[in-house]
Amino acid sequence: MDLRKLGSYGPSVSALGLGAMGMSDLYGGADEKESIATLHAALDAGVTLIDTGDFYGSGHNEMLIGRALAARDRSSVQLSVKFGSRRTPDGAFQPVPYDVSPAAVKDRLAYSLRRLNTDYIDIYRPARLNPHIPVEETVGALDEMRQAGYIRHIGLSEVGADTIRRAAAVAPISDLQIEYSLLSRGPERKILPVLRELGIGLTAYGVLSRGLLSGHWSASRPLAGNDFRAHSPRFQGDNLEANLRLVEALARVAERLGAGTSQVAIAWVLAQGTDIVPLVGARRRDRLTESLGALDLTLGEADLRQIEEAVPRDAAAGDRYAAPQMATLDSERD
């Protein structure tokens, strides 16, 4: 497994990371035994970066990861944790601004450390910006926890260029986590240039656009009510049909390359720069193996042109979140 360094200030991590959210939440039912087996398979394959959030499954995801890592060498794994989103006992997300206050930083961190059964977190980050709480206050509190040894690095998530600059003026930032894929290329406009100017890495989630780019999706696939995609604009009606036509075009390129559609989509993100680390959301070992195959795929300039002709910039039909969620994204203001 090749390693990539997350910016000037972050750790060296595996070139591909594993996002664990779907093992607990938002993508319908999951098999806990298979989830742990998938986490173990990822570690055995050389994946070192595991991403979670304290609100995934209202803490379930952290406890799952804690159990999976119990017999593993903690120093061989980098845990990336988001905080700030709030939920009710029935699992609903509270329609209130993200709690990323200095007090919340310390409180939520204490619970994450206990659930993960660790005494430090490698990268700790607010899940979203709260417009009523200056980012300088949040990052200042995170830096206190870094200096105290409870976290190793400070990350950001889904914030725009101006917020990145303000945060970086307070403390070293390892990386920005943001959705980035063939169907979501917004960060290329202003955000990615600022990250590179400041020496900040990018961890890309949604590289398969919630499964759309996997090559396994169909318009007839049923979705449970607790599946995020049942309410995602890109998975609705005419939008879905238009997006699947893009995937069909990508599949034809993948066939010429002798690779799977998902592998080409992941390899495209990998090819955008060594300062970018894609996160794959595999919940099963077979899907993990498929995703890891992207690391063996070398794309030349002609290959990249064909891929981007199949899925042109801004060709995606529908926003990546429903309107209420889009309104909370500081990153979308760029």
Side-chain angles (χ1 to χ4, degrees), residues 6-272:
L6 288 178
S8 301
Y9 310 104
S12 292
V13 302
S14 52
L16 206 61
L18 180 64
M21 180 186 76
M23 296 177 179
S24 299
D25 215 357
L26 298 178
Y27 285 158
D31 182 328
E32 189 162 309
K33 183 178 179 181
E34 180 62 23
S35 295
I36 290 178
T38 302
L39 284 161
H40 286 165
L43 298 172
D44 292 341
V47 173
T48 68
L49 180 63
I50 307 295
D51 181 75
T52 184
D54 66 6
F55 48 92
Y56 293 166
S58 301
H60 174 270
N61 204 237
E62 289 180 317
M63 291 188 287
L64 179 76
I65 292 170
R67 291 196 298 276
L69 298 182
R72 299 282 175 152
D73 177 8
R74 174 65 181 87
S75 65
S76 67
V77 182
Q78 290 99 22
L79 293 173
S80 167
V81 180
K82 293 180 290 297
F83 74 96
S85 185
R86 301 198 295 188
R87 304 184 75 163
T88 56
D90 63 358
F93 285 88
Q94 295 191 46
V96 296
Y98 292 83
D99 189 356
V100 293
S101 65
V105 167
K106 300 172 184 178
D107 177 71
R108 302 293 284 270
L109 176 57
Y111 285 97
S112 286
L113 291 169
R114 178 60 62 90
R115 286 190 290 254
L116 288 163
N117 192 29
T118 184
D119 55 6
Y120 70 93
I121 289 171
D122 297 272
I123 309 172
Y124 198 54
R125 68 182 84 241
R128 297 288 188 271
L129 180 72
N130 183 324
H132 307 297
I133 300 173
V135 70
E136 292 85 353
E137 292 184 10
T138 304
V139 173
L142 288 166
D143 198 40
E144 287 183 33
M145 296 296 94
R146 183 183 66 85
Q147 294 182 44
Y150 294 114
I151 65 176
R152 297 282 174 86
H153 305 280
I154 300 168
L156 299 171
S157 178
E158 287 288 0
V159 294
D162 178 63
T163 303
I164 294 166
R165 290 188 184 280
R166 289 168 54 198
V170 176
I173 305 298
S174 66
D175 66 308
L176 170 73
Q177 189 175 114
I178 194 167
E179 186 168 354
Y180 184 46
S181 73
L182 279 165
L183 291 178
S184 298
R185 296 181 63 177
E188 294 174 349
R189 289 191 289 270
K190 294 182 180 180
I191 291 172
L192 192 50
V194 168
L195 294 177
R196 287 174 169 160
E197 174 193 337
L198 298 177
I200 299 171
L202 187 153
T203 47
Y205 75 89
V207 294
L208 294 180
S209 197
R210 320 290 184 171
L212 266 178
L213 293 170
S214 68
H216 302 297
W217 204 268
S218 70
S220 60
R221 178 169 171 172
L223 290 171
N226 63 345
D227 191 317
F228 162 85
R229 294 165 294 196
H231 313 285
S232 170
R234 290 184 177 174
F235 288 81
Q236 309 302 312
D238 292 342
N239 285 348
L240 178 58
E241 295 287 353
N243 290 328
L244 287 176
R245 286 194 291 273
L246 296 174
V247 178
E248 289 170 3
L250 182 62
R252 290 192 287 272
V253 177
E255 185 176 5
R256 289 197 293 272
L257 293 172
T261 307
S262 64
Q263 292 169 340
V264 172
I266 296 167
W268 179 87
V269 178
L270 284 163
Q272 302 314 299

